[in-house]
Structures are given as C-alpha cells and as structure tokens.
C-alpha cells in the first residue's frame, strides 16, 4: 500500500476538491452531500499543516482547534454518517488490493468503486463517494495505520436495516402539524435529527428558531461524548451564538432548503473560519447552527472539532 500512498501524495488539496466536485454528479444522491460534508470535516491542508509543524501544540493553538480533529483514531468511524459506510469493508479491501494506480485521481477513485461494488452487490454510484473518502483517509493517516484499522462498520441495527429510499424519505419528510397546521404559523414545530444512526438523536425547533437555540431544549448529557458541549445546552457545541467563534458549524445532510438562507454576516464569518469552500450559495451544506433558522425538518451532522482553518 506504500506505493499507492506515495501516488496519492502527488495530489494537492485543490486536486481532491476539484475531483470530488467533478465526480459528485455520479455519486448516488443519498451520499452526494454527505461526501462533500466529510471532505469539509477532514480537510487535507489542516492535516498537512499539523504533520509539518515543529511545535504541534502551538500550531493547534494557532488554529484555535477544539475537540477531536484528524482521522488517526477514527479511520473506521469518521464516515458513519455516510450511507455507504456500511460497505466500508469492501471499499477498504478494494483500496488495499490496488497494484497499479491510474495517473488521474478521478479514474483511481472510480477504479476503487468498481472493485468494491461487486462484492458489495450495489451499483458503483452507491460506493463512489465512499471510495473517495477511503483514499483520502489513506492519504491522511498513512499506509501502516490504514492497514492496521480493522475495517469495522459502526452502524446501529436500526439504520443498517433501512434502505436508501427509506432514509431519503425520512430526510424529506416534514412533521405533521395537525389538521389546522397551516394556521399554526410561528408555532410550527420541526424535528432536527443530528445523528441518523441513533433513533433518539433529535430535538425540536420552533418555526424560525436557529438550530443552536433549539438544541438547548435538549437537556440530555452530551459532555461525556464531546467535551465541547455545554452542560444542559444540547448536543451542538456553542460559545458566542453570534457567528463570532465558529464552534457551532454543522453539515446539513438533508433539508438544506428548509433552513433560512445564508445572510451576509454568516457568509463573511464562514470565510474567516475557513469553512467557506462548501458554504457558498444561499443554502449550502455547511452552516453555522446559531445562524441557520428552521422552516422544516432537517438532518444535520455535528463535526467533532472546530477551529479557524483559514489560518492554515
Ligand atoms: S456559537 Fe459561535 S459561531 Fe455559532
């Protein structure tokens, strides 16, 4: 695998983003946004900067990093929010079996997807995003760590039993507002799912309430899972609630169109934090939870870290 790793090191971060953007149209719709979100959560420039740092703790402070960043400890689980995570063993085996890599990155990703889709018994489109994620994981963690990871699937039985169609239907569905729902106006209530893997990982947002404030209504204990969480203030880590700190960034895996459009202040701050690449447009897949207001049910993913990666 060393040879393949050396080959992957030829590609810049821009090459990866460009290639994933080009391939996106061929990725099954269920994972099109999830793949882009994963690439935003695990940026190659950050990993390269940390690898090259003479004083790693000082560099981490410089980037304002909080939480758990990097892939070293999550090789098998960082992508559990991606539908094709269930085919991770097949994708990982396909990567390990590559002897001769084509010179073009897109062709390499496609080759891995072709090799994985046969044993997984799915179409190439279903594992294409996962193939890109698997290769980027190898690029960031190196061949030894990649080979040593057991290649386990981290899915709940409930989610594993669901088909693509069922998951997409759940994401698209809005809460029933009762017989006179149209008259409820500002009292409409919307479900915000923050981990599709866990049946009870959801909280309720009142119409036009921002996601970070809505999360505060969830009084369960989250700090033991993510030390950034404030006790009794829900599963989304927050600090300023005013788009100043970047702590509350989230990926929107379903229902981005049901959130308020990005306004100038959020857009400007996203650029400052360095989350801008995937935050362009009025309803992008990366948002600040303290700025995104709910006008329907949405499904989000909470990244395990935050920082100011524009400093990279
Ligand atoms: S909580 Fe600080 S940017 Fe949202």
């Amino acid at each position: 695998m060393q040879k393949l790793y050396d080959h992957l090191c030829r590609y810049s971060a821009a090459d990866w983003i460009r290639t994933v953007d080009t391939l996106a149209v061929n990725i099954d719709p269920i994972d099109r946004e999830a793949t882009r979100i994963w690439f935003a959560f695990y940026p190659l420039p950050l990993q390269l900067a940390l690898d090259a740092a003479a004083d790693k703790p000082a560099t981490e402070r410089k980037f304002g990093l909080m939480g758990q960043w990097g892939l070293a400890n999550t090789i098998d689980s960082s992508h559990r929010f991606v539908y094709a995570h269930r085919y991770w063993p097949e994708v990982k085996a396909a990567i390990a079996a590559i002897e001769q890599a084509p010179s073009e990155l897109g062709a390499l990703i496609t080759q891995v997807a072709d090799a994985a889709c046969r044993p997984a018994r799915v179409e190439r489109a279903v594992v294409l995003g996962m193939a890109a994620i698997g290769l980027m994981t190898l690029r960031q963690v190196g061949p030894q760590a990649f080979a040593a990871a057991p290649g386990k699937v981290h899915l709940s039985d409930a989610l594993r039993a669901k088909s693509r169609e069922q998951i997409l239907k759940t994401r698209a569905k809005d809460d029933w507002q009762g017989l006179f729902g149209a008259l409820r106006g500002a009292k409409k209530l919307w479900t915000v799912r923050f981990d599709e893997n866990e049946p009870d990982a959801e909280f309720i947002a009142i119409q036009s309430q921002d996601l970070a404030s809505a999360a505060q209504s969830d009084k369960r204990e989250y700090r033991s899972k993510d030390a950034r969480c404030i006790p009794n203030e829900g599963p989304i880590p927050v600090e300023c609630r005013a788009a100043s700190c970047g702590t509350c960034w989230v990926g929107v895996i379903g229902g981005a169109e049901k959130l308020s459009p990005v306004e100038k202040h959020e857009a400007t701050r996203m650029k400052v934090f360095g989350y801008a690449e995937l935050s362009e447009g009025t309803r992008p897949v990366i948002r600040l939870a303290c700025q995104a207001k709910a006008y329907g049910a949405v499904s989000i993913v909470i990244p395990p870290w935050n920082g100011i990666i524009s400093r990279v």
Side-chain angles (χ1 to χ4, degrees):
M1 217 183 303
Q2 181 68 45
K3 208 169 135 194
L4 176 60
Y5 172 75
D6 292 342
H7 177 86
L8 292 174
C9 289
R10 293 183 202 165
Y11 301 111
S12 67
D15 291 334
W16 283 93
I17 295 298
R18 201 168 36 244
T19 304
V20 171
D21 278 351
T22 305
L23 288 178
V25 68
N26 298 319
I27 296 175
D28 190 279
I30 195 161
D31 276 344
R32 211 168 278 160
E33 309 302 12
T35 303
R36 297 173 70 226
I37 291 169
W38 186 92
F39 271 82
F41 285 0
Y42 300 98
L44 180 59
L46 176 61
Q47 187 62 47
L48 295 180
L50 293 173
D51 287 347
D55 184 345
K56 204 170 170 193
T59 307
E60 290 169 352
R61 279 196 300 278
K62 181 180 156 196
F63 298 153
L65 295 178
M66 296 172 66
Q68 301 289 324
W69 53 92
L71 288 162
N73 299 320
T74 54
I75 293 171
D76 288 340
S77 59
S78 71
H79 33 75
R80 67 200 281 271
F81 62 88
V82 177
Y83 172 81
H85 167 67
R86 64 196 65 206
Y87 305 118
W88 173 233
E90 288 86 352
V91 171
K92 189 167 183 282
I95 291 172
I98 286 183
E99 288 176 359
Q100 189 67 41
S103 59
E104 205 259 315
L105 182 56
L108 172 57
I109 294 168
T110 305
Q111 181 180 321
V112 170
D114 277 337
C117 71
R118 285 188 286 275
R121 297 187 188 178
V122 292
E123 290 174 13
R124 178 212 281 167
V126 176
V127 289
L128 189 58
M130 198 64 225
I133 289 169
L135 286 165
M136 177 53 102
T137 301
L138 168 60
R139 171 66 185 88
Q140 293 199 28
V141 302
Q144 283 81 19
F146 188 87
K152 275 190 180 167
V153 171
H154 293 253
L155 275 190
S156 65
D157 291 341
L159 190 62
R160 195 190 278 259
K162 283 192 176 174
S163 67
R164 290 190 342 261
E165 292 72 22
Q166 286 171 318
I167 294 171
L168 284 171
K169 201 170 158 190
T170 305
R171 283 181 193 166
K173 194 175 168 194
D174 271 330
D175 303 76
W176 165 243
Q177 302 294 326
L179 273 180
F180 301 101
L183 304 176
R184 284 180 67 85
K187 290 184 185 155
K188 285 180 180 166
L189 300 175
W190 306 113
T191 299
V192 179
R193 279 176 296 276
F194 56 89
D195 183 352
E196 292 181 344
N197 220 352
E198 305 292 340
D200 61 348
E202 57 187 40
F203 55 84
I204 297 297
I206 303 166
Q207 171 97 333
S208 82
Q209 188 177 30
D210 71 77
L211 300 182
S213 299
Q216 273 187 291
S217 62
D218 183 345
K219 300 299 179 195
R220 290 174 287 184
E221 196 278 314
Y222 291 104
R223 205 171 161 81
S224 57
K225 287 184 198 154
D226 187 338
R228 298 174 303 152
C229 289
I230 299 172
N232 298 318
E233 294 209 8
I236 302 179
V238 290
E239 279 189 19
C240 68
R241 299 185 181 280
S244 296
C245 69
T247 311
C248 69
W249 69 313
V250 293
V252 186
I253 207 165
E257 71 287 356
K258 293 185 259 179
L259 293 172
S260 56
V262 172
E263 292 185 1
K264 199 175 168 203
H265 182 51
E266 183 182 357
T268 306
R269 298 302 299 164
M270 290 292 253
K271 283 202 178 95
V272 172
F273 304 135
Y275 309 148
E277 193 137 9
L278 288 175
S279 58
E280 284 168 4
T282 52
R283 289 186 170 84
V285 294
I286 299 292
R287 296 294 304 264
L288 293 176
C290 66
Q291 302 300 303
K293 299 181 178 67
Y295 291 90
V298 294
S299 187
I300 62 172
V301 190
I302 301 170
W305 66 277
N306 60 274
I308 305 182
I309 53 173
S310 58
R311 291 176 185 166
V312 174

